[in-house]
Amino acid sequence: MQVPFLDLKAQFESVKSEVMPAVEQVCASQMVCLGPAVENFEQSVAKYCGSKHAIGVSSGSDALLVSLMALEVGAGDEVITTPFTFFATAGAIARVGAKPVFVDIDPGSFNMATRDIASAVTPRTAAIMPVHLYGQICRMEQIMEVAAEYELAIVEDACQSIGAAQKDKKAGTFGQFGCFSFYPTKNLGAFGDAGLIVTDDEDLAKKAKMLRNHGQSSQYDYEFIGGNFRMDGIQGAVLDAKLKHLESWNEKRRANAEIYTEKFSGSPVKPPMVEPGNVHTYHQYTILAPKRDELKDYLNKKGVSSAVFYPKPLHLHKCYDYLEHREGDFPVAEQLSKEVLSLPIAPELSSEQIEYAADKVLEFYSKK
Ligand SMILES: *Cc1c(COP(=O)(O)O)cnc(C)c1O
C-alpha cells in the first residue's frame, strides 16, 4: 500500500465542480488583483474565525510582515518568538529590522514555553509572536497576561492552525493580529500563494489594508510606505469555495489522528498531546520517535511517506549568526528537532491507509 504525505490532486477532484466555476467567474470579470472574490472570502473568514476584520494578502509570510509593519515594529525593537517553527516567523521579524528573541519550547505541545516569556522581556520588547505549531494553539492565557503586564502587542502566527480553537475561541483572534497562510499544503490551501490577517481593531485593519497596497489611502495618495502584498482574485475564489469544507476536513484529520494515537499507546512512539481546552486541527500529526531517521527510511521503503518539521531550529541557521546563538541555547527545540516525525494525516487518506502507516511504525520497533 502507498500512503502519500498529501493528496492534493484527490482534493482538487473532490471540489472541482465548486472551485472551477468560481475561478472562471474571476477570469470573466478580470478583477484579478483583490476584487470581489477576495472581499467575499475576507467576509467568510472573518465570520468563520469570529473576528471583525479580515485582510487578504499575498502569503502567510507577508501576513506576518504587514502585521509587524502596521504595529510599527522596526529597528531597535525586539520580538519574542520560538526557534522551533517555519523560517518565515523569525524572517518577518528580521525583515522589519527588529530582533527575533527566542524562547525554548515545551516538549509536550512543541509550542513556546510560556513560563520563559516574561524573562525574555527587555525595555526594547515590542511584541510577542506565538506560533500555533502543527495546528494546536499556544497557552494564550499566559501569553496574554505577559503581554498585558509589559504592554506588548501579540501577532499570532496561526499559519498552521486555521480552525483550531481554545475554549471556543479560534486561532488568530487572541492578539492584535492573527496571520494565516494558504500555501497549498496547509489545511486550507490556495492554488498558489496566499495569506490573510484577522484583527478586531478597526484602525489596525485600515492600516493593514493600506499597507498591502503600498500604503495607499486613496488613489495615488500614500499615507505609509507599504508594499505589494495583494491577494489574487483567483485565490480568493478558490479559498472561499474550499473554506466550506474546512471543518469537515479538520474533522477527518482528527479522526485519522485518533487512529494513530490509539495504535501507538504502549509503543516506543510518543503521540502528540492535546492540551486541555484545545481543539487540535492536526496540520501535522507529529510523533517523537526514537531512531527517527532510521524509522523514516523504513517507512519510505514500505510506501509510507513522512516528513521532518523542522530538522534544525532557527537559531542555528547561518542567516542568524549575528544573533550569536550556539548549540545548547534552546536545548528542548534542539533535542526535538532530532526526534520529531510527521506522519501522513491528510483528510483524503482512508482509515485503511492510516492503519497501515501506523502498523509500519510499530513493525519497525518490533524488529529492533
Ligand atoms: C506556512 C507558514 C508560514 C508562511 O506562510 P507562506 O504562505 O508560505 O508564506 C509562516 N509560519 C508558519 C508557522 C508556517 O507554517
Side-chain angles (χ1 to χ4, degrees), residues 133-147:
L133 203 72
Y134 303 149
Q136 168 154 247
I137 299 180
C138 297
R139 293 182 189 170
M140 288 312 296
E141 237 165 74
Q142 282 103 313
I143 292 175
M144 286 161 80
E145 257 170 43
V146 178

Side-chain angles (χ1 to χ4, degrees), residues 142-215:
Q142 282 103 313
I143 292 175
M144 286 161 80
E145 257 170 43
V146 178
E149 185 176 346
Y150 298 97
E151 294 179 33
L152 310 174
I154 297 175
V155 176
E156 294 171 68
D157 183 338
C159 286
Q160 298 189 0
S161 60
I162 189 160
Q166 189 163 84
K167 295 183 183 159
D168 291 330
K169 209 167 150 59
K170 286 253 166 60
T173 64
F174 294 84
Q176 271 69 27
F177 285 115
C179 300
F180 298 105
S181 165
F182 307 116
Y183 185 72
T185 61
K186 300 285 159 85
N187 288 26
L188 179 63
F191 288 0
D193 281 301
L196 184 127
I197 302 166
V198 291
T199 182
D200 276 343
D201 184 311
E202 190 167 353
D203 292 331
L204 286 177
K206 273 191 191 147
K207 199 166 167 186
K209 255 188 176 171
M210 287 186 237
L211 286 167
R212 79 171 163 186
N213 196 17
H214 299 292

